Amino acid sequence: MPGQGNPTAFCPPQGRFELTRYPASAKDSLQAWCSADTLLLQACAEQKLQGSDVLVVNDEHGALTVALQPGSLWTDSWLSAKAAGENLAANGRAAVPVTWSTEPPPERCDAVVMRVPRQLHYFEYQLAQLAATLPAGTTVLAAGMDKHLSPNTAALLEKYLGPTTRHRGRSRARVFSASIQADTRPEINAYGNYYCEPLGLTLATAANVFSRDKLDMGSRFMLENLHKLAPAQRITDLACGNGVLGIAALRAGLSEALIACDESAMAVACARINISEHASDADATVVHGDGLLEVGASSDLILCNPPFHQQQTVDDETGKRLLEQAAARMPTGGRLCIVANRHLNYQQILRRRFGQVELFAENRKFRIWLAHSS
């Protein structure tokens, strides 16, 4: 197998490339591509799909973008866009424009090469946008790993695009192919809302935002305990989602200044909407980027309900990176308050990086930790 023994050497039909993950994983065995990427690129080579007439969608670490040099990358993820940009530069390839998920896909393309996302509602939204934006006859190739694909994947492609072929699976992955039909134009809105009972507010949410339909249980538990925290000069809502923790902190009088940050374009858009609607008097900034790395100002209180997956990879590495960022950028005397499932072992990294760590609250499913910098 080409590239065997070198975890960064990727050898699809389009050439040989050196690819790394962003952010770098503590698990060295994780490569910047998977079988779904390989199958998609093989299908692209067979159909001679490459270059500016191709739209790449949901590329995780840049494998598709680097190999195909498409006209645009359509994604919700700042981390994925960063990975693609770094891998393009490392391989001497030209930069590829990024179109965020909050905007329609570019109209000028002859083919779409797509990784199927985890969130089915987001997948439906993307398919509806493709059908509404691109001309009839546009080829769509979509693929995913078997363990992440819904049994409804082919049915959704047929519903929104047209007749779909489910190709034979290989290497625990599968490719689907379809062609956009002129009479297939179902609509779906990326944005919605839910009533947040603890705050008595209706909050905006979106197709690829965590806990899209209702307040998640971890955030609910945090809201129940926010009043126990001492006020702060400035608060950061780290991995903010739709901004519920930051807004709750402002309304509880914990601060008049807020920074909310997330790597999801849809999350950032929702946080902006909600802060504008429910905390318009606050000194608030919303940042799209890699956690705190794109945030200029520091905060003396950071709130975080850390995610436990990055794209298709499910573990606690993403949450640990955010805690490391908080420890590195927090001023002396600052506090980090996080809520997490009981089974996630954040206590070790908190005790290693912070001067004092206390179990602030717990119930049968969650723990809230309060860490103090020194």
Side-chain angles (χ1 to χ4, degrees), residues 232-249:
Q233 198 166 31
R234 180 189 288 116
I235 292 172
T236 292
D237 186 354
L238 177 59
C240 65
N242 68 353
V244 61
L245 294 184
I247 291 169

Side-chain angles (χ1 to χ4, degrees), residues 24-179:
S25 173
K27 299 179 179 180
D28 293 336
S29 62
L30 290 178
Q31 297 174 316
W33 66 91
C34 66
S35 299
D37 296 316
T38 301
L39 292 184
L40 274 174
L41 292 174
Q42 289 171 351
C44 287
E46 292 167 3
Q47 299 189 35
K48 296 182 171 55
L49 301 178
Q50 189 166 1
S52 61
D53 291 333
V54 173
L55 170 65
V56 166
V57 183
N58 303 330
D59 196 1
E60 288 191 19
H61 298 286
L64 301 174
T65 306
V66 171
L68 296 175
Q69 279 278 266
S72 183
L73 167 62
W74 192 34
T75 183
D76 186 59
S77 170
W78 191 96
L79 295 176
S80 293
K82 176 73 169 178
E86 290 195 350
N87 281 319
L88 284 164
N91 286 276
R93 311 284 266 183
V96 170
V98 174
T99 303
W100 296 115
S101 59
T102 49
E103 300 295 330
E107 295 182 11
R108 185 184 176 277
C109 77
D110 294 331
V112 176
V113 180
M114 180 183 203
R115 284 292 306 276
V116 177
R118 292 177 60 89
Q119 297 283 357
L120 277 184
H121 193 79
Y122 181 49
F123 183 43
E124 290 190 67
Y125 165 73
Q126 289 188 311
L127 294 177
Q129 285 286 298
L130 292 171
T133 304
L134 302 180
T138 302
T139 297
V140 177
L141 297 176
M145 300 301 294
D146 289 339
K147 63 182 179 180
H148 298 137
L149 288 173
S150 163
N152 297 322
T153 299
L156 290 174
L157 284 160
E158 287 226 0
K159 175 182 176 181
Y160 289 96
L161 304 184
T164 296
T165 301
R166 184 175 185 267
H167 297 274
R168 182 178 179 182
R170 285 183 288 161
S171 303
R172 293 175 291 181
R174 187 178 302 277
V175 172
F176 304 83
S177 60
S179 181

Side-chain angles (χ1 to χ4, degrees), residues 275-335:
I275 290 170
S276 175
E277 181 72 22
H278 302 299
S280 58
D281 294 337
D283 175 12
T285 303
V286 184
V287 179
H288 188 205
D290 180 1
L292 297 175
L293 299 188
E294 314 305 313
V295 175
S298 61
S299 295
D300 47 338
L301 175 59
I302 297 175
L303 306 175
C304 187
N305 181 0
F308 49 86
H309 62 78
Q310 181 195 339
Q311 305 302 325
Q312 308 287 6
T313 305
V314 179
D315 58 25
D316 60 358
E317 289 298 317
T318 301
K320 288 179 178 178
R321 281 189 73 251
L322 295 177
L323 302 191
E324 291 281 4
Q325 290 180 9
R329 298 176 67 88
M330 184 176 289
T332 300
R335 293 164 291 156

